[in-house]
Amino acid sequence: MRSVGTGNTRRFASAFTLVFTGPGAARSYATALGLGTLLTGFYLIALPAGSFGALRPGALHFLTPPLAVSAALLGYGFALTLTLNINARPGNAGAPRRSGLLGLGGLFASLLPSSLCCTPVIPLVLAAIGVSAPAIFRTSGKFQAFFAIHADAFIAGSVILVLLSVWFAAYNLTTPCAVGAAKDSPT
Amino acid sequence: MRQSWFLGFVTLALAFALPSSWAAGSAATEALAPGSSAPSLAYRLIDGKTLTPSELRGHPYVLWLMATWCSSCQGGTAVVAQHIGELRARGVYVVQVEVAHDLGYPGPPLASFQKAVGMAAAAPNWYWGQLTEAQMRQLDPHAYPDIYYLVDAQGQIVAVDGAPAATWSRIARFAGAAPTAR
């Protein structure tokens, strides 16, 4: 069991060595740092936007240390996934797509609380699908409160998804071939 | 392939992110439009008293409808607390009222908001109350959890918006236009 875990860690490390020290390392650094900084900047504003009420730099007043760390993990994590996937072998296209989708899913899930709580979006959607005004009074709060109350869980889940996407991207990069990939999966 | 990833991300990010800023900017398809008179309502306060229309008459005020589970309402309350003294100096009242039944999800009591902002909550120009369903139908027919009306001393609605933290400059301009309280 331990040797399998050690093997996975080794493969994880060798993926990074391959991408950041091999040919094209400069491009990898540029992608990871450039995109990571851009995304982190966006999430530093987007994550506290729910408390502020708008996606504007003023939201930084509501930035807390856990949100800042989450923004960095989301931003640089997804940039890392993309960097690793760019270096994936052309013949193994399915695996990068899956890890990329996992990362994208994480990025979007983290935006749900600030987008769907305390904005007119849910009441308007309910009205648009024909829900009556009294029913909207009674129910729209349930949907919005769900996102507000579980905002921390959404963000934590998003960070986990993005970190998993990095793990899978690194793992896929060092998978010898499709047959090998089917035989050993990450533990 | 890489370009389509990037485009997909930008498109989806905008789709999710835009409602937040749009909400604050134009908070609400307006239930009571600017220029119309604010309804003369008596608000039930959480200390058991009633805020009557005659008490509001002659004073500009911010009538803020909010749900207690709403994160932008918590942020907005903190910002109001920072500025409540300036509003008082201008004779501006803040009437912060919880929407009826918290729109179907019972959030924390409004008193917890008072507790969170400490002494500022006791400012004499800050009223804390609860809307009845009938008042709700009149003031917030679309059931928005964070919407405020700026009402001038003549009882005219000057503006409708939401998320006070994000739109404080608008409230500050409104208060700035009010004469300094004697």
Side-chain angles (χ1 to χ4, degrees):
Chain A
M1 195 65 180
R2 189 180 165 178
S3 64
V4 173
T6 310
N8 280 333
T9 309
R10 201 171 292 141
R11 283 178 68 171
F12 190 72
S14 66
F16 280 85
T17 309
L18 195 69
V19 170
F20 290 105
T21 58
R27 191 185 66 172
S28 296
Y29 275 111
T31 308
L33 291 176
L35 183 67
T37 304
L38 205 68
L39 282 172
T40 300
F42 172 75
Y43 278 98
L44 285 173
I45 294 170
L47 294 186
S51 297
F52 181 60
L55 190 70
R56 292 209 301 265
L60 288 169
H61 290 295
F62 292 89
L63 187 66
T64 58
L67 287 182
V69 170
S70 301
L73 288 173
L74 287 169
Y76 287 108
F78 185 75
L80 212 51
T81 301
L82 207 69
T83 307
L84 292 168
N85 283 343
I86 285 170
N87 288 276
R89 280 179 305 283
N92 192 16
R97 193 174 300 136
R98 279 191 293 276
S99 67
L101 281 174
L102 200 64
L104 268 183
L107 291 190
F108 298 132
S110 68
L111 294 174
L112 287 176
S114 55
S115 300
L116 297 180
C117 172
C118 320
T119 68
V121 174
I122 286 180
L124 285 177
V125 168
L126 290 174
I129 60 173
V131 178
S132 68
I136 292 174
F137 280 150
R138 285 193 304 272
T139 57
S140 71
K142 288 178 186 162
F143 294 111
Q144 297 190 69
F146 175 80
F147 290 106
I149 289 164
H150 299 105
D152 290 345
F154 268 92
I155 292 168
S158 304
V159 169
I160 290 169
L161 282 180
V162 168
L163 294 180
L164 274 176
S165 78
V166 177
W167 172 259
F168 280 118
Y171 188 87
N172 293 332
L173 196 67
T174 51
T175 299
C177 62
V179 176
K183 201 168 62 182
D184 29 81
S185 57
T187 52
Chain B
M1 175 66 187
R2 287 169 202 162
Q3 279 178 339
S4 66
W5 269 108
F6 180 72
L7 283 175
F9 170 73
V10 170
T11 308
L12 283 169
L14 284 175
F16 278 100
L18 278 178
S20 302
S21 38
W22 165 66
S26 60
T29 42
E30 289 145 23
L32 293 164
S36 61
S37 294
S40 289
L41 300 171
Y43 299 102
R44 193 180 59 200
L45 303 180
I46 58 173
D47 60 7
K49 296 175 184 163
T50 300
L51 180 65
T52 62
S54 63
E55 286 173 274
L56 289 171
R57 198 165 298 133
H59 290 277
Y61 61 96
V62 182
L63 175 59
W64 181 20
L65 285 56
M66 42 78 70
T68 59
W69 40 256
C70 151
S71 46
S72 62
C73 303
Q74 289 161 9
T77 303
V79 170
V80 171
Q82 285 169 18
H83 298 280
I84 195 68
E86 299 157 31
L87 296 180
R88 187 182 175 193
R90 288 281 178 178
V92 178
Y93 291 176
V94 175
V95 183
Q96 184 167 345
V97 284
E98 184 181 354
V99 290
H101 309 303
D102 260 345
L103 296 174
Y105 186 91
L110 193 55
S112 67
F113 276 60
Q114 289 181 307
K115 202 174 167 189
V117 296
M119 291 297 287
N125 59 324
W126 198 348
Y127 297 95
W128 302 75
Q130 284 166 322
L131 286 185
T132 63
E133 277 189 48
Q135 290 173 332
M136 180 82 185
R137 277 194 292 275
Q138 201 170 351
L139 293 168
D140 190 10
H142 302 295
Y144 297 151
D146 184 358
I147 175 173
Y148 65 76
Y149 296 93
L150 301 180
V151 184
D152 68 14
Q154 288 74 45
Q156 296 282 308
I157 293 170
V158 175
V160 187
D161 213 327
T167 59
W168 185 257
S169 58
R170 186 169 213 174
I171 298 174
R173 275 199 307 276
F174 167 74
T180 308
R182 284 186 298 268

